[in-house]
Amino acid sequence: MFSYLRKRFTRHLRERSRRRARLVSKDGRCNIEFGNVEQSRFVFLIDIWTTILDLRWRYKMTIFISAFLGSWFLFGLLWYVVAYIHKDLPEFNPSINHTPCVENINGLTSAFLFSLETQVTIGYGFRCVTEQCATAIFLLIFQSILGVIINSFMCGAILAKISRSKNRAKTITFSRYAVISKRGGKLCLLIRVANLRKSLLIGSHIYGKLLKTTITPEGETIILDQVNIEFIVDAGNENLFFISPLTIYHIIDKNSPFFHMAAETILQQDFELVVFLDGTVEATSATCQVRTSYIPEEVLWGYRFAPIVSKTKEGKYRVDFQNFSKTVAVETPHCAFCLHNEREAKAKEKKGFDNPGFVLSEVNETSDTKM
């Protein structure tokens, strides 16, 4: 029992030490931190709209509630000051003929209630502004205009947050693993992607970036060097009919960065494959981008995806997402270079070989027959 637990613990430590840092998480979030930025953080206030939209919901709702409560309380203080200056409060013992700036403001609480009623246009009619003070009339106009601005901005920010195309991107899912196997006689890297909604993404485009550390001939080390990875779909790479799960694949040829990798060495490689899917949401016409990433431990050599689409007795097509990331082992060359050499050897066998030692000599025939 003790030896079993020790093996499990040792394996866990080995896997944890081998765990790689990734730039893009599986759900598409970027794992990057900015340090020693010379510009002040107040520059984000210049683009306040984008800043509000990028905030998390808990911060956004805190700002939403604080903006309304703060404005109500601020204008409540101003209404109290107006009543105090004009001596409308009960502690000043106003005369019977005294006309207050605002009817029925007796203290800070009633001033706050009047500010609330004014800004949200409740209008109970119990408290109202009179024509006695120009200051009160100006304050009423100013609060009404500012209240409309706050309502428009905060309600628009919440509506835009709800309808952001980033939420639509969460209904696009990629397979947990990428696989490498033969497809159409070529060694390919395959990834499965599915649309969980029946509404389509218009003008979808799939591409990838391979992130790795490279050293230039000049000796410069480039971290997160990006290499383009071209993905292909049998129906075409542009304007995908994305109603059912698709299997995208990258052909591992001489121009592919995976060409010199093998089944035995891929786990020793240091790379991160980031896959992007760009498209336009059919309902809102807003563009969205879905992304995920794969590290060497998530690339399975010698496997293919299990079938996922079937046809029911009623004539409908059924997609079984239980097999979405399920893989099946298949016979696969252990490297793309070996497959390439094998194909070249078969091509030479079909063409035949020339014998360089063969020399064609002409023979002159003479007739020895005499009549």
Side-chain angles (χ1 to χ4, degrees):
M1 183 66 180
F2 179 75
S3 60
Y4 172 76
L5 293 176
R6 185 176 61 182
K7 289 181 181 179
R8 289 289 301 271
F9 182 72
T10 305
R11 187 186 309 168
H12 175 73
L13 291 179
R14 190 184 305 114
E15 292 178 355
R16 186 174 180 179
S17 62
R18 199 175 57 180
R19 188 176 302 168
R20 306 171 191 260
R22 57 198 316 159
L23 178 65
V24 179
S25 62
K26 298 296 289 185
D27 57 357
R29 291 178 296 177
C30 295
N31 181 25
I32 190 168
E33 179 180 349
F34 297 100
N36 300 324
V37 180
E38 296 181 358
Q39 293 181 340
S40 174
R41 293 186 179 272
F42 289 101
V43 297
F44 294 100
L45 296 178
I46 300 176
D47 188 13
I48 185 64
W49 180 253
T50 306
T51 303
I52 292 295
L53 290 183
D54 290 338
L55 289 177
R56 297 181 179 271
W57 273 109
R58 53 179 176 268
Y59 302 127
K60 185 185 296 292
M61 295 306 299
T62 301
I63 295 175
F64 181 84
I65 297 173
S66 300
F68 282 103
L69 291 179
S71 61
W72 296 339
F73 185 74
L74 175 62
F75 281 100
L77 288 177
L78 294 178
W79 286 116
Y80 179 80
V81 171
V82 170
Y84 185 86
I85 295 176
H86 198 253
K87 296 183 179 181
D88 298 335
L89 301 176
E91 59 258 27
F92 292 105
N93 297 319
S95 61
I96 300 176
N97 298 327
H98 178 78
T99 304
C101 293
V102 181
E103 296 283 355
N104 299 310
I105 287 187
N106 302 319
L108 187 59
T109 304
S110 57
F112 174 79
L113 292 176
F114 178 73
S115 173
L116 172 62
E117 296 168 8
T118 301
Q119 189 164 328
V120 299
T121 64
I122 294 177
Y124 289 126
F126 181 66
R127 300 180 182 89
C128 59
V129 179
T130 64
E131 68 277 5
Q132 184 67 25
C133 300
T135 305
I137 297 175
F138 173 78
L139 184 60
L140 177 66
I141 296 174
F142 183 73
Q143 183 178 5
S144 300
I145 295 175
L146 186 62
V148 171
I149 294 175
I150 294 176
N151 290 338
S152 302
F153 184 86
M154 298 308 300
C155 294
I158 290 180
L159 180 61
K161 179 75 170 180
I162 295 175
S163 61
R164 289 189 78 178
S165 57
K166 184 183 295 185
N167 298 327
R168 175 64 176 92
K170 293 181 180 179
T171 58
I172 306 296
T173 180
F174 289 89
S175 58
R176 183 178 179 183
Y177 299 101
V179 298
I180 295 179
S181 60
K182 292 178 64 175
R183 187 183 182 94
K186 301 177 182 178
L187 191 64
C188 301
L189 182 142
L190 301 98
I191 297 173
R192 180 174 277 174
V193 58
N195 180 15
L196 301 181
R197 288 186 178 273
K198 292 184 179 181
S199 59
L200 300 178
L201 285 180
I202 305 172
S204 301
H205 175 62
I206 298 177
Y207 59 97
K209 299 285 185 181
L210 187 70
L211 308 179
K212 60 180 182 177
T213 302
T214 59
I215 301 177
T216 62
E218 295 77 16
E220 179 185 3
T221 302
I222 302 177
I223 301 178
L224 297 180
D225 186 22
Q226 300 184 14
V227 180
N228 291 327
I229 301 295
E230 182 180 358
F231 283 97
I232 304 173
V233 184
D234 292 333
N237 198 25
E238 300 287 344
N239 301 324
L240 304 177
F241 186 50
F242 202 11
I243 194 64
S244 63
L246 298 176
T247 300
I248 61 176
Y249 59 94
H250 165 71
I251 301 176
I252 304 178
D253 52 11
K254 290 184 177 181
N255 298 323
S256 172
F258 294 95
F259 185 75
H260 297 286
M261 299 183 188
E264 299 83 3
T265 62
I266 190 170
L267 294 179
Q268 283 73 41
Q269 302 293 326
D270 185 14
F271 67 85
E272 180 179 354
L273 176 61
V274 184
V275 184
F276 302 87
L277 171 62
D278 297 338
T280 303
V281 181
E282 186 179 20
T284 61
S285 299
T287 58
C288 70
Q289 183 183 85
V290 194
R291 52 186 175 265
T292 189
S293 68
Y294 299 91
I295 57 178
E297 287 80 5
E298 297 170 346
V299 179
L300 306 180
W301 196 295
Y303 288 84
R304 64 172 175 84
F305 290 111
I308 190 175
V309 180
S310 59
K311 195 172 183 179
T312 62
K313 296 180 180 180
E314 294 79 11
K316 294 183 179 181
Y317 292 93
R318 183 176 184 271
V319 180
D320 186 9
F321 280 95
Q322 185 177 1
N323 296 334
F324 181 72
S325 295
K326 186 177 180 180
T327 57
V328 180
V330 293
E331 184 178 355
T332 305
H334 75 284
C335 67
F337 188 75
C338 298
L339 178 62
H340 180 74
N341 291 341
E342 180 182 349
R343 294 176 61 186
E344 285 188 351
K346 291 182 178 180
K348 289 182 179 180
E349 289 179 1
K350 292 181 179 179
K351 292 181 180 180
F353 295 92
D354 294 332
N355 185 3
F358 178 77
V359 178
L360 179 62
S361 60
E362 296 182 357
V363 179
N364 295 326
E365 295 182 358
T366 56
S367 178
D368 296 333
T369 305
K370 293 183 181 180
M371 295 299 293

